[in-house]
Amino acid sequence: MDNVSQITMFFLLGLNESNNHRFTLFFLTLLCYCVILLVNISVIVIIIIDKNLHEPMYILICTFCMNALYGTAGFYPKLLWDLLSPVHVISYSGCLVQAQVIASFACADLSILSVMAYDRYVAICRPLEYHSVMSKQRLIMLVCYSWMTPFLIVAANMFLTSRLKLCSPYITRFFCVNWAIVKIACFPAETAVNSIGTYITMIIYFLHGIFIVLSYIYLIKTCADSIENRAKFMQTCVPHLISLLIFLVTILFDVMIIRFGSKDFPQAFKNFVAIEFLVIPPLINPLIYGFKLTKIRNRILVVVTLKTK
């Protein structure tokens, strides 16, 4: 095990320029995290307690919100702590865990969206077979797939990273991601396997994206000839498409900053772009589903009405 890193602590440099505004950023971050917790937990609880919502589509939405809680739990508590600390550090193992959680959260989001696309395809294009195709057993398998596959794929990449000998304890971001750790490897030649693993992961989830796009293209063609199907598409598929668009835009911005000249932008802008996928989707998606999907919206209105009486 000669190539195991001797570094036990990383210094996160991304917040160094924010020290003058750290208390303002702390309260804004705390507010954002509290709202994320509130809206996601509300949707999860409503779906769990209302038996009328125990259908595949709503269970997948519940899974989506649970994934948001998982991903943000790996980011916000550490960020809030750092905003109140003069030195921003994280242990070696803690950094690997944070990178694992954040990356698997992002990949699981895309996996869940692909399962949602399949669910809508079956519901609209094969309605008579829907309950037999989306059986309880298959739904459990799909949910496990959407969580476990991303976790294992990212874990394999993190294992490859853990084998690298690192020559610097400084990470240019304010949270840990796999590429930032690989970037400080002593011997770039040793990172070739990491690059292969990263490209394989990107290809796998690019294919997920292609599957989602093709599914919705077929759905749009199917719904074009039927008023009933068009109404069903607008009611149940549009929220999924909005979620997909939000996810892709936030991830794309981050990738573009990493790939095309991160040195050309101020640190505050890079920080904002870096956390978009940890702020916007977890915050907006539950609101989209809560207000757009009739059954969830009606249940929320009932709860609010009972509380105001």
Side-chain angles (χ1 to χ4, degrees):
M1 299 295 286
D2 294 334
N3 64 335
V4 174
S5 171
Q6 298 302 309
I7 291 175
T8 59
M9 196 76 67
F10 289 112
F11 294 88
L12 305 174
L13 305 179
L15 289 176
N16 286 354
E17 296 181 8
S18 305
N19 284 335
N20 294 334
H21 310 285
R22 59 179 182 169
F23 291 110
T24 302
L25 291 172
F26 173 83
F27 287 112
L28 289 175
T29 303
L30 180 61
L31 176 62
C32 180
Y33 189 39
C34 288
V35 174
I36 287 172
L37 291 176
L38 175 64
V39 294
N40 281 281
I41 291 174
S42 296
V43 171
I44 291 168
V45 170
I46 285 169
I47 291 173
I48 290 174
I49 64 175
D50 191 341
K51 292 184 179 180
N52 293 323
L53 299 177
H54 291 183
E55 300 173 11
M57 181 178 72
Y58 298 103
I59 292 172
L60 291 173
I61 291 171
C62 185
T63 304
F64 205 38
C65 293
M66 288 179 178
N67 189 55
L69 295 178
Y70 161 73
T72 54
F75 171 70
Y76 281 96
K78 179 66 174 72
L79 176 59
L80 289 167
W81 177 265
D82 284 344
L83 287 170
L84 295 180
S85 304
V87 180
H88 312 132
V89 297
I90 187 170
S91 67
Y92 177 82
S93 57
C95 191
L96 293 180
V97 169
Q98 186 178 58
Q100 166 73 27
V101 170
I102 291 174
S104 59
F105 151 72
C107 292
D109 253 11
L110 198 53
S111 292
I112 296 167
L113 285 168
S114 66
V115 174
M116 286 179 169
Y118 175 71
D119 172 73
R120 290 301 85 202
Y121 159 75
V122 177
I124 294 175
C125 300
R126 298 163 60 186
L128 298 179
E129 304 172 41
Y130 180 71
H131 291 291
S132 59
V133 173
M134 293 299 293
S135 62
K136 183 179 179 180
Q137 292 76 15
R138 178 163 294 184
L139 181 62
I140 292 172
M141 288 176 59
L142 290 172
V143 169
C144 290
Y145 158 79
S146 64
W147 266 342
M148 294 305 300
T149 304
F151 187 87
L152 294 174
I153 290 173
V154 174
N157 281 281
M158 296 311 305
F159 171 74
L160 294 174
T161 299
S162 70
R163 298 172 66 249
L164 296 174
K165 183 175 179 60
L166 306 179
C167 287
S168 172
Y170 299 101
I171 291 179
T172 55
R173 287 202 165 196
F174 61 100
F175 62 95
C176 292
V177 288
N178 188 35
W179 71 265
I181 304 171
V182 173
K183 192 176 177 181
I184 56 177
C186 295
F187 308 107
E190 291 184 352
T191 66
V193 177
N194 296 76
S195 297
I196 292 170
T198 300
Y199 284 127
I200 290 172
T201 303
M202 290 173 65
I203 290 170
I204 290 171
Y205 287 98
F206 177 76
L207 293 175
H208 277 63
I210 294 295
F211 170 79
I212 295 170
V213 171
L214 292 178
S215 297
Y216 281 112
I217 288 174
Y218 189 79
L219 278 168
I220 291 169
K221 288 182 178 179
T222 302
C223 295
D225 300 327
S226 168
I227 295 175
E228 182 181 349
N229 282 342
R230 281 203 298 271
K232 189 183 293 186
F233 179 88
M234 292 299 295
Q235 179 65 32
T236 63
C237 295
V238 169
H240 300 161
L241 286 173
I242 295 173
S243 295
L244 176 64
L245 182 63
I246 291 171
F247 174 83
L248 293 179
V249 169
T250 54
I251 292 294
L252 183 62
F253 267 106
D254 194 24
V255 171
M256 288 178 67
I257 290 293
I258 294 169
R259 181 67 182 84
F260 302 107
S262 61
K263 295 180 181 179
D264 300 330
F265 298 96
Q267 186 63 46
F269 177 76
K270 289 189 288 185
N271 287 348
F272 173 74
V273 172
I275 66 169
E276 277 186 311
F277 76 103
L278 288 159
V279 176
I280 298 174
L283 188 61
I284 299 299
N285 288 337
L287 297 176
I288 292 171
Y289 293 119
F291 287 104
K292 182 63 179 172
L293 297 179
T294 305
K295 286 187 178 181
I296 295 180
R297 184 175 67 245
N298 289 344
R299 182 63 185 177
I300 291 173
L301 291 174
V302 168
V303 172
V304 171
T305 302
L306 289 174
K307 285 188 176 183
T308 54
K309 286 185 178 180

